[in-house]
Amino acid sequence: MLLKAILVGLWVTWAIIDEQTLQLQTTRPIITGVVVGLIMGDLQTGLVVGATVEMMFLAVVFVGTAIPPDPTLAAAIATAFAVFAGGNTELAVATAIPIALIGQTITTLQYGVVNVALLHWADKSVAKGELKGVRRANYVALAFNLLFYGLPTFLAVYFGAEFVEPIIAMIPEQIISGLAVGGGMIGAVGFGLLLSTIKVKKLWPYFIVGYIAAAFLGINMLGIGLIAVAAVSLHQIFTSGKNTAEAA
Amino acid sequence: MKNTDQRLTRKDLWKILRNQMFIRSALNFERQQCIGFTQAMGPIIEKYYDTPEEKTQAMERHMELFLTQPMVSAIPVGVAAAMEERLATEGDVDPSAISAVKTALMGPLAALGDSLINGTARPILAGIACGLALQGSILGPLLFLVGMSIITLGVRYFGVFKGYEKGVTLVADLQRSGLISKITELAAVAAFVIIGGFTPGVVSLNTSLAYTAGDTVISLQQTLDGLLPGILPVGLTLLMFYLVSKKKVSPIVLMLALMAAGVAGTYLGIF
């Protein structure tokens, strides 16, 4: 378990570093859940928990400087706990939001305290005309992720193995399944947020197109993606004002 | 000053691209991505400036507040590179114009990057990946990773190289042609289709309420499915939209309220 916990902690550290540099999106639950599943030796649980937590955070886009709940810690720890509980994914969904809020607090601390201190450290190098101090501030900021995200993940996985089962045994079944029901609804907050960021309100009819395709016709998400492509192309054709000449 | 007769080479631009990757590494609440932006300008400062005083002056220009979506920040990095080069080689650029251009680009690009990449492309790819993952296939997550890697690295490459090549004219072009508002409108079309289409599958909300009349049990869920399938998740999403945008309720509060509602509803036998 020591080795697995270390590997999960290192993966989370990498995922956060990725988010703060390249942004290949390894930080997303659909990737982190799968990788943690592989490390824990239960790919199937990793796929299910990764996808379930991803759907909770699918559309959570916070604009500007607001810090969103952290989906990476949530997916990693929830996947490990689900494996400990013998593939119980309900439990994973129930734990994801509290863990994500802890992650959000850590991020706020990182941006608000540690990185502000690093900024003032970098300012001193700038005053001396030393570029390397600026780079150093960035690299040190990245290194702090091991302490901020890697260590808590390691501790949760390492000690969780022992405590997850007895704790679940203590909690009434209805609370766990109730939390899972709540987790299933969380995705609505993300989509509500995404809707509120759309500036062009007159385009609401396209919402109904997507809804009918999925709910009435049962078209899967790949199909919905293709319908979106078609809708964008048609909208472009019909609003560009060049289509009338040929029609005449 | 040194090398004032040389323009930036492709090798220099690659160096800028590599350093641009650190744009948000030390993101902070005081001046946001300023440390990353200064690092991205590093290759230029090293190429043209000699004395510590000159370097300090050049770095201080970029240690001002800067914040935009990290991937599309490559565009202002490319544009600023072109202006810095001009300032060092010809000297006919007002240093304050560099800050002004960066500031002008920040807002529109953040909106564009957030809505196109974080709000449209990523949810589409992630939604498809989730569908495949729930069927037990690792192919979906792999496609998601490859697709997003192409987007993030492609956007950054385009930003640094095109931003440099077009320089300030890129800013003028974008504003004059109305391209940004056109893209914003098309992104809204895609977002509406995706949100309408993904909500019934991604948000799960079913009720176990039933109406018993004599021997017949009428399930509310079955009745709803017959009339308007998926109306509960879609209705919940619209309610969340209303609370977020009209009532300004914090999304965190809504998330916690939904978790509590799940537990309460389970005890009451609603779900």
Side-chain angles (χ1 to χ4, degrees), chain A residues 91-232:
Chain A
L91 169 83
V93 180
T95 47
I97 289 293
I99 297 169
L101 292 178
I102 295 172
Q104 183 187 32
T105 312
I106 294 174
T107 311
T108 309
L109 194 72
Q110 185 180 27
Y111 297 171
V113 180
V114 176
N115 287 0
V116 169
L118 289 173
L119 171 69
H120 295 154
W121 191 42
D123 278 337
K124 281 186 195 146
S125 300
V126 169
K128 281 185 252 166
E130 287 172 358
L131 194 61
K132 69 172 192 286
V134 172
R135 294 200 187 106
R136 199 171 49 201
N138 278 329
Y139 303 149
V140 171
L142 291 175
F144 261 103
N145 291 319
L146 189 63
L147 179 69
F148 275 143
Y149 301 91
L151 185 63
T153 308
F154 163 77
L155 293 173
V157 175
Y158 187 68
F159 292 106
E162 217 173 308
F163 293 112
V164 167
E165 286 210 70
I167 289 177
I168 306 171
M170 263 165 47
I171 303 173
E173 170 59 23
Q174 276 180 309
I175 295 215
I176 302 272
S177 59
L179 288 173
V181 169
M185 294 193 281
I186 293 285
V189 179
F191 284 119
L193 263 178
L194 197 53
L195 280 173
S196 70
T197 61
I198 301 177
K199 298 282 179 287
V200 200
K201 299 292 180 202
K202 63 173 184 193
L203 298 171
W204 269 100
Y206 287 104
F207 179 87
I208 304 175
V209 170
Y211 167 58
I212 291 173
F216 285 76
L217 306 177
I219 293 171
N220 68 16
M221 295 200 215
L222 187 57
I224 302 292
L226 289 173
I227 291 175
V229 172
V232 167

